[in-house]
Amino acid sequence: MRGVFPTATGALYWRAFPPRILELAMPASPVSSTTSRQSSPGTSQQAERVLVLDFGSQYAQLIARRVREQHVYCEIVRHDVTAERIRALAPKGIILSGGPSSVYDSGAPRCDPGIFRLGIPVLGICYGMQLACDALGGHVGRAQSREYGRATCEVLEADRLFAGVPAHTEVWMSHGDQVDEVSGDFRPLARTATCPLAAVRHNTLPVYGLQFHPEVTHTPAGGTILKNFLTAACGCSGSWRLEDFAQSVIADLRRRVGSDRVICGLSGGVDSAVVAALLSRAIGDQLSCILVDNGLLRKNEAAAVIDEFQTHFKTDLHVVPAEQKFLDDLAGITEPQEKRKRIGKAFIECFSDEAGKIQGAKFLAQGTLYPDVIESGAAPDGPAATIKLHHNVGGLPDNLEFELIEPLRDLFKDEVRALGLQLGLPERIVWRHPFPGPGLAVRCLGEVTKSRLATLREADAIVLEEIERAGLMRKISQAFAVLLPVQSVGVMGDARTYDDVLAVRAVETEDFMTADWSHLPYEVLARISTRVINEVRGINRVVYDISSKPPATIEWE
C-alpha cells in the first residue's frame, strides 16, 4: 500500500468542530475538497453562523473559540472570500481578524469591499479595523507610539459594543499601525493615551472596529464586548451547543462512511481517545485502530493504551512493535526538526505496512489540534510563521490512497476534553496531560538513545506522580521532564559526579496558544528533585523552567 499517512503518536486529532478553515473563495463547495487529503465530515447547516475572515493572525482561531464560548456557531474562512459567497452563506455576523501586514503595503491581504455593503454586521479587530476604516474612507499610518501589551482604554460611548463595560478598562494592544483619520461616517467609541481611535463605529453601516484584541484573556472585558457584538449587533440567540455538534458529526460520519472501514491511529492521549470514541459511536466494528509502539512513549503507556482500547472500546486493535526502527533512524540526530521529520517518516512506513494488512479500509482518521496547525504554518495560504514542525500536520504524501477524516483539527484542548466527557470517556483518559507526536524524542535534547530515553522515562514518571500526589493534575495543563544534553558537577556520598541535568516544565493555559509557567509549591518541587536525583541514575541536578509562551514554546523542541 502506497503513501498511507498515520496520525502522529500522541496526536490523533480529528477535525470537524465549528470553525473549519474553508476555502470559500472557491465557489464550488463550502468545504474545499480538491484532494482527498483535505476532506472532512460535513456539519449540519446552522441557523446562526458567524464567519471569521483570517488575515494571518495567530489569534484568528482564538477569536472563533471565544465566539463558540457564547454558544454561536463559527467558521474561519479565507480573507478573500467573495461578498457573493458570504451572502449565500447568510451569516449573522462577520469578524475581520488581526494580521501581521500593514494595509498600505503592496500585496497586503485585503477583503472584498462589497462585504461592508451586505448589511451584515462587521467587527474589525486590529488589522481588521484598519482594513475596514481604510476601505470606507479612513487613513491608516504608522503610530507615533507603538502599543504592545496592556493599556488603559477609556470608553467614550457605551453604544452596543461597550454596554456593561467599565468607563476605564484594561485592554491588550499589539500594533505599530493605527487608524489616524476616519471619514465623517465614523464616530469614536473608545481611546487610549496614544490611540485616539481605539474603537469606532460607522454611522450608517453596521461596521465596528477595535484596535485592541478582545479575544485574549489580557482584555478582561473582551468577552463582554464580543458578546455585545454577537447579541446586540448581530442578533444571535446563542443557542448552539457542543452536544448538538457531537450528534451532528456522528450522523455525518455514518452517512459518509457507509459500510466501509476506517483506520484510526492511537497514541494514548485524550485526542486520539476522543476520535476513537466518535468513530466507535458512529460506525462500531467498522473501525480498526493501529498503535505504533515506537519506544518513545511514557512509562507503561503502550500497555495502558492496549488495555484501554481492548477493554473500554473493544475495538480491532493492531499493535506494531517498532522501537528499534525508530532508534536506528534517530541515531546521531540532534537537530529538532530533523528528529521530527525522521520520526514522521518512520511512523508513516510502520503505519502503512500495518494498514496494508487491513482489508476494506477506505478512510483514514487522523487528528491535529489547531495550535499544531498554526505552529506548523499549515493554514491555507496564510502568512503565519512555521514555529516547529508537527509531523501529523502537512506531512501527508501526495499519493494518499485514503479519504481523510479529521474532526478535531480546529479544536483547543479544553474543547476536546469537554467533548470526551460528553461521549462518556473516563476522566483518567480525558484529563491526561498532552503528549507530543514525536514522543520523548523531543524531550530528550541532543542524541536519542535507548539508555537516555530510559533515564528520561523514569524521571518523567516521578514528575507526574508527585504532581498527582499534590492534587495538581487538573490545575496544571501540561507537565513533563526534559533531559538536557548538559552535564554538571555534583557530589554524592563524598564522591564527585558529572551527570545529566533534568529540566521540569509545568504550564497553565486555556488554549495552548499562550501559556504561563505554573507556580508549583516549593515542597512539590523539592520532592520531585529529591526523588529524581535519588532514584534515577545519571541525573544529579534538577532545574525548573519558568518561561511563558510566548516567547518560549511549551515543548523544548
Side-chain angles (χ1 to χ4, degrees):
M1 181 174 295
R2 307 187 321 272
V4 177
F5 181 76
T7 56
T9 43
L12 172 73
Y13 321 103
W14 197 72
R15 173 177 185 143
F17 204 67
R20 298 169 306 188
I21 296 181
L22 307 181
E23 296 193 359
L24 294 180
M26 303 176 65
S29 170
V31 181
S32 173
S33 57
T34 55
T35 66
S36 61
R37 67 196 290 171
Q38 291 176 322
S39 60
S40 60
T43 51
S44 301
Q45 293 295 318
Q46 304 294 321
E48 294 184 341
R49 175 194 337 231
V50 168
L51 301 180
V52 176
L53 273 60
D54 183 7
F55 292 91
S57 170
Q58 293 201 0
Y59 293 125
Q61 193 73 11
L62 187 54
I63 297 171
R65 181 174 177 271
R66 299 304 185 208
V67 172
R68 293 201 304 263
E69 287 176 354
Q70 303 297 332
H71 301 294
V72 176
Y73 179 84
C74 187
E75 292 175 352
I76 294 181
V77 301
R78 289 168 48 120
H79 66 274
D80 55 357
V81 57
T82 65
E84 290 74 15
R85 184 71 181 120
I86 291 178
R87 182 185 289 109
L89 290 169
K92 299 283 285 186
I94 300 168
I95 299 177
L96 311 181
S97 82
S101 303
S102 294
V103 297
Y104 46 77
D105 287 343
S106 62
R110 306 189 75 86
C111 61
D112 184 341
I115 69 172
F116 301 113
R117 308 289 178 180
L118 292 174
I120 300 171
V122 177
L123 174 64
I125 296 175
C126 197
Y127 178 85
M129 169 184 169
Q130 297 165 14
L131 192 65
C133 290
D134 179 76
L136 294 172
H139 183 267
V140 178
R142 292 191 181 277
Q144 291 186 354
S145 178
R146 298 183 300 174
E147 285 185 302
Y148 294 98
R150 292 179 173 85
T152 299
C153 181
E154 179 187 358
V155 177
L156 303 176
E157 183 179 335
D159 194 68
R160 292 179 173 178
L161 284 190
F162 292 95
V165 176
H168 291 84
T169 185
E170 191 175 77
V171 297
W172 184 261
M173 289 286 197
S174 181
H175 67 100
D177 297 336
Q178 65 185 36
V179 178
D180 52 30
E181 181 181 335
V182 289
S183 68
D185 292 327
F186 280 94
R187 65 177 185 267
L189 300 179
R191 66 187 177 192
T192 69
T194 59
C195 184
L197 296 171
V200 297
R201 178 190 176 184
H202 197 278
N203 287 322
T204 58
L205 301 175
V207 177
Y208 305 80
L210 300 173
Q211 183 57 67
F212 56 87
H213 289 269
E215 70 274 22
V216 301
T217 57
H218 304 299
T219 301
T224 300
I225 295 170
L226 286 175
K227 182 178 181 180
N228 287 341
F229 173 71
L230 295 170
T231 56
C234 301
C236 295
S237 63
S239 58
W240 182 86
R241 292 294 184 273
L242 181 61
E243 51 268 28
D244 298 330
F245 158 77
Q247 294 305 315
S248 175
V249 167
I250 289 170
D252 287 341
L253 278 170
R254 286 176 182 149
R255 284 193 298 268
R256 181 179 174 193
V257 173
S259 60
D260 292 307
R261 180 163 293 277
V262 177
I263 296 177
C264 176
L266 294 180
S267 67
V270 57
D271 310 302
S272 61
V274 172
V275 173
L278 278 168
L279 287 168
S280 180
R281 184 79 63 87
I283 61 173
D285 59 9
Q286 294 168 238
L287 171 66
S288 291
C289 295
I290 297 176
L291 169 66
V292 176
D293 186 357
N294 56 11
L296 306 175
L297 302 179
R298 290 172 285 200
K299 186 176 181 179
N300 300 325
E301 189 157 46
V305 171
I306 293 170
D307 179 67
E308 287 167 359
F309 287 93
Q310 285 183 336
T311 58
H312 184 82
F313 292 105
K314 294 182 174 59
T315 189
D316 176 35
L317 178 61
H318 300 244
V319 181
V320 182
E323 178 185 29
Q324 194 57 52
K325 174 177 176 56
F326 279 80
L327 288 174
D328 291 344
D329 288 353
L330 289 169
I333 303 302
T334 60
E335 204 279 320
Q337 296 291 66
E338 184 62 24
K339 282 183 185 179
R340 289 175 177 267
K341 290 177 182 178
R342 289 183 177 233
I343 291 169
K345 182 175 182 294
F347 204 101
I348 288 172
E349 292 171 357
C350 293
F351 195 97
S352 298
D353 289 344
E354 191 63 29
K357 303 173 186 177
I358 300 173
Q359 299 298 315
K362 180 180 178 182
F363 298 91
L364 174 65
Q366 86 152 5
T368 305
L369 298 190
Y370 192 72
D372 298 338
V373 176
I374 279 190
E375 289 181 342
S376 295
D381 300 334
T386 298
I387 298 168
K388 59 183 177 182
L389 184 66
H390 293 265
H391 68 269
N392 56 314
V393 180
L396 294 176
D398 292 332
N399 59 345
L400 179 68
E401 293 185 346
F402 292 114
E403 290 186 36
L404 190 61
I405 296 176
E406 300 182 283
L408 303 183
R409 188 179 173 111
D410 293 308
L411 284 185
F412 293 91
K413 183 64 68 173
D414 61 324
E415 295 168 327
V416 174
R417 287 191 169 121
L419 185 58
L421 290 172
Q422 289 182 10
L423 291 169
L425 289 174
E427 288 200 3
R428 70 177 185 277
I429 297 178
V430 170
W431 289 101
R432 185 173 290 157
H433 282 191
F435 191 59
L440 294 179
V442 292
R443 294 177 179 175
C444 184
L445 277 58
E447 186 175 7
V448 179
T449 65
K450 186 169 184 175
S451 62
R452 295 192 78 220
L453 285 170
T455 298
L456 174 58
R457 191 173 286 114
E458 292 299 321
D460 184 72
I462 290 173
V463 171
L464 294 178
E465 285 169 10
E466 289 301 328
I467 288 175
E468 186 169 15
R469 176 183 170 188
L472 297 173
M473 286 295 284
R474 295 278 289 269
K475 179 177 185 292
I476 296 171
S477 305
Q478 189 171 357
F480 54 91
V482 181
L483 187 63
L484 306 183
V486 175
Q487 288 74 47
S488 70
V489 174
V491 178
M492 291 186 179
D494 296 331
R496 178 185 184 274
T497 62
Y498 192 61
D499 289 330
D500 289 334
V501 177
L502 186 85
V504 176
R505 177 76 155 145
V507 299
E508 296 174 19
T509 176
E510 290 185 4
D511 47 46
F512 288 84
M513 292 298 299
T514 62
D516 196 9
W517 60 277
S518 183
H519 294 229
L520 290 180
Y522 288 154
E523 56 270 22
V524 174
L525 291 172
R527 285 198 300 269
I528 289 173
S529 178
T530 299
R531 284 194 61 193
V532 167
I533 293 172
N534 287 343
E535 299 176 27
V536 183
R537 288 187 177 276
I539 296 175
N540 67 357
R541 190 179 299 270
V542 176
V543 298
Y544 189 52
D545 182 350
I546 59 170
S547 308
S548 296
K549 176 186 180 181
T553 56
I554 294 175
E555 297 288 344
W556 279 47
E557 288 190 344

mmCIF file of all heavy atoms in Angstrom, residues 25 35 48 66 229 317 373 513 523:
data_model
loop_
_atom_site.group_PDB
_atom_site.id
_atom_site.type_symbol
_atom_site.label_atom_id
_atom_site.label_comp_id
_atom_site.label_asym_id
_atom_site.label_seq_id
_atom_site.Cartn_x
_atom_site.Cartn_y
_atom_site.Cartn_z
ATOM 1 N N ALA A 25 -13.284 31.014 -1.132
ATOM 2 C CA ALA A 25 -13.069 31.769 -2.360
ATOM 3 C C ALA A 25 -13.354 30.883 -3.567
ATOM 4 O O ALA A 25 -13.526 31.361 -4.672
ATOM 5 C CB ALA A 25 -11.648 32.292 -2.424
ATOM 6 N N THR A 35 -8.614 17.660 -2.976
ATOM 7 C CA THR A 35 -7.934 16.387 -2.843
ATOM 8 C C THR A 35 -8.533 15.653 -1.670
ATOM 9 O O THR A 35 -9.119 16.245 -0.773
ATOM 10 C CB THR A 35 -6.424 16.562 -2.583
ATOM 11 O OG1 THR A 35 -6.255 17.167 -1.309
ATOM 12 C CG2 THR A 35 -5.762 17.409 -3.646
ATOM 13 N N GLU A 48 -27.696 29.981 12.945
ATOM 14 C CA GLU A 48 -26.910 31.169 13.281
ATOM 15 C C GLU A 48 -25.437 30.855 13.080
ATOM 16 O O GLU A 48 -24.929 29.884 13.630
ATOM 17 C CB GLU A 48 -27.163 31.588 14.728
ATOM 18 C CG GLU A 48 -28.568 32.060 14.987
ATOM 19 C CD GLU A 48 -28.747 32.550 16.411
ATOM 20 O OE1 GLU A 48 -27.921 32.212 17.278
ATOM 21 O OE2 GLU A 48 -29.729 33.280 16.657
ATOM 22 N N ARG A 66 -13.634 32.088 21.123
ATOM 23 C CA ARG A 66 -14.400 32.979 22.009
ATOM 24 C C ARG A 66 -15.846 33.106 21.535
ATOM 25 O O ARG A 66 -16.769 33.233 22.342
ATOM 26 C CB ARG A 66 -13.745 34.364 22.048
ATOM 27 C CG ARG A 66 -12.334 34.390 22.583
ATOM 28 C CD ARG A 66 -12.236 33.786 23.959
ATOM 29 N NE ARG A 66 -10.889 33.926 24.499
ATOM 30 C CZ ARG A 66 -10.337 33.114 25.378
ATOM 31 N NH1 ARG A 66 -11.021 32.069 25.834
ATOM 32 N NH2 ARG A 66 -9.115 33.312 25.806
ATOM 33 N N PHE A 229 -21.373 42.316 20.612
ATOM 34 C CA PHE A 229 -21.404 42.317 19.153
ATOM 35 C C PHE A 229 -22.317 41.204 18.643
ATOM 36 O O PHE A 229 -23.137 41.410 17.742
ATOM 37 C CB PHE A 229 -19.994 42.140 18.583
ATOM 38 C CG PHE A 229 -19.957 41.965 17.088
ATOM 39 C CD1 PHE A 229 -20.246 43.035 16.242
ATOM 40 C CD2 PHE A 229 -19.667 40.730 16.523
ATOM 41 C CE1 PHE A 229 -20.228 42.868 14.859
ATOM 42 C CE2 PHE A 229 -19.646 40.558 15.145
ATOM 43 C CZ PHE A 229 -19.927 41.629 14.309
ATOM 44 N N LEU A 317 -7.759 -3.764 17.356
ATOM 45 C CA LEU A 317 -6.523 -3.043 17.650
ATOM 46 C C LEU A 317 -5.314 -3.801 17.110
ATOM 47 O O LEU A 317 -5.129 -4.990 17.406
ATOM 48 C CB LEU A 317 -6.373 -2.828 19.160
ATOM 49 C CG LEU A 317 -5.098 -2.127 19.626
ATOM 50 C CD1 LEU A 317 -5.000 -0.726 19.042
ATOM 51 C CD2 LEU A 317 -5.046 -2.077 21.151
ATOM 52 N N VAL A 373 -1.516 23.173 14.046
ATOM 53 C CA VAL A 373 -1.651 23.662 12.676
ATOM 54 C C VAL A 373 -0.985 25.023 12.535
ATOM 55 O O VAL A 373 -0.235 25.283 11.593
ATOM 56 C CB VAL A 373 -3.141 23.761 12.285
ATOM 57 C CG1 VAL A 373 -3.296 24.366 10.902
ATOM 58 C CG2 VAL A 373 -3.788 22.385 12.334
ATOM 59 N N MET A 513 -2.291 28.186 23.003
ATOM 60 C CA MET A 513 -1.699 29.193 22.125
ATOM 61 C C MET A 513 -0.811 30.117 22.934
ATOM 62 O O MET A 513 0.237 30.563 22.471
ATOM 63 C CB MET A 513 -2.798 30.005 21.417
ATOM 64 C CG MET A 513 -3.599 29.197 20.417
ATOM 65 S SD MET A 513 -2.583 28.572 19.072
ATOM 66 C CE MET A 513 -1.982 30.092 18.369
ATOM 67 N N GLU A 523 7.453 22.806 48.043
ATOM 68 C CA GLU A 523 7.582 21.461 48.588
ATOM 69 C C GLU A 523 7.391 20.396 47.511
ATOM 70 O O GLU A 523 7.993 19.318 47.568
ATOM 71 C CB GLU A 523 6.595 21.230 49.733
ATOM 72 C CG GLU A 523 5.131 21.470 49.405
ATOM 73 C CD GLU A 523 4.681 22.900 49.668
ATOM 74 O OE1 GLU A 523 5.551 23.816 49.698
ATOM 75 O OE2 GLU A 523 3.476 23.101 49.873
#
